[in-house]
Every structure is written in C-alpha cells, then in structure tokens.
Amino acid sequence: ADGTGTIALQNQLSGMTDASMPVGSVLQIVQYSDIDVDGHMETTSTSYVASGITQTITPKRNNSKIIVQFNTAMAESIATNAELYGKIKINGTDWSGLGQYALGYQYQPTGRYYGFYFTGNYTVSSLSALTFEAWFKSHGGGNVRFAHDKSSVAMTLIEVAQ
C-alpha cells in the first residue's frame, strides 16, 4: 500500500461488469468527428440524402439510454429557394418521434453559416448494433450545404446505464 487508496479502489472495481454498473454510469462512448471537412457536403435534392456522418454503437446493456449529440459548425442555405432540413436515421429508418425541425432548419437568405446542434436520447430495446446517421435535404430544391468546406462535424453516442 502506498497510502493513496489505490489498492482499495482497485479492489472495489475488480469484479465490476456492464451489468453491475449503477444507474447513471457511462458504459461506453463512441464518436465520429471530422474537424476539417474536405469539400462542401451539399445537395439540391428535395429528398433526404445521407450525409456520411454516421456512428455505430453496440449496446452493452438492455434498456440503457443512448445520448446522441450532433453538431455541424457551418451549415447554409445558399439559393433563394433553399430550405435546409436535417434529421437522424437509426439503422436506415427515421428516428420515431423526432420532430421535423429537431436536427435543424435554415432558410435563405438569412440561413448562412449557422450551426446545427442536437442532443437527444434513445432507449435501447436489444443488444443489436445501432447505426445513427445524419441526413439532410433542400425543401425547395435550391442548393443547401449541411457542412461547409473546412468546417467541422461530429456525432457522439454515449451509452448510460438505466
């Protein structure tokens, strides 16, 4: 023993499993991050298109919560008929209950260079892998950019025991 309490703490944690972690414990964190987007992430499509901002997590505990944090630092609507909408899909399916503007909305001419920021939580119902992906579209068909060249984007998934 070195007097710091190190041995006692190691003894307390030695047998800890994901299943025995108390409510509120962080079980895992995974993140997608691009701090220097190469080229505009843009579209004129009026149907949602995949952004490529995706992250997969395999839950360690049933009924846990996945806290989802998403941001794009510099989105823009650059045409007069451009309205930028964003959403998140889980395993390729719309996130049930997520509002139309939950991920963000921008309207030209005032919607230039604003970020999209979102935090939500998803309740785990099985231990199967979950893939979260951001999607975006131009409501009016004008050019929209979900992420500007040289800006940043990130998606963080945090599993919390319940």
Side-chain angles (χ1 to χ4, degrees), residues 116-134:
F116 277 16
Y117 304 95
F118 169 80
T119 299
N121 66 72
Y122 177 84
T123 302
V124 171
S125 59
S126 79
L127 299 181
S128 299
L130 297 166
T131 299
F132 293 79
E133 184 169 21

Side-chain angles (χ1 to χ4, degrees), residues 57-114:
I57 190 167
T58 301
K60 295 179 178 283
R61 189 160 155 180
N62 208 12
N63 295 319
S64 61
K65 295 270 188 197
I66 305 295
I67 297 172
V68 180
Q69 298 174 326
F70 170 82
N71 74 280
T72 176
M74 200 173 172
E76 66 178 323
S77 301
I78 60 175
T80 56
N81 59 339
E83 295 175 56
L84 174 60
Y85 285 62
K87 69 177 174 180
I88 293 178
K89 290 188 176 190
I90 304 170
N91 293 340
T93 301
D94 288 351
W95 184 342
S96 178
L98 192 66
Q100 178 178 354
Y101 305 114
L103 195 61
Y105 169 83
Q106 286 188 8
Y107 175 70
Q108 208 286 333
T110 58
R112 298 219 48 198
Y113 308 127
Y114 296 108

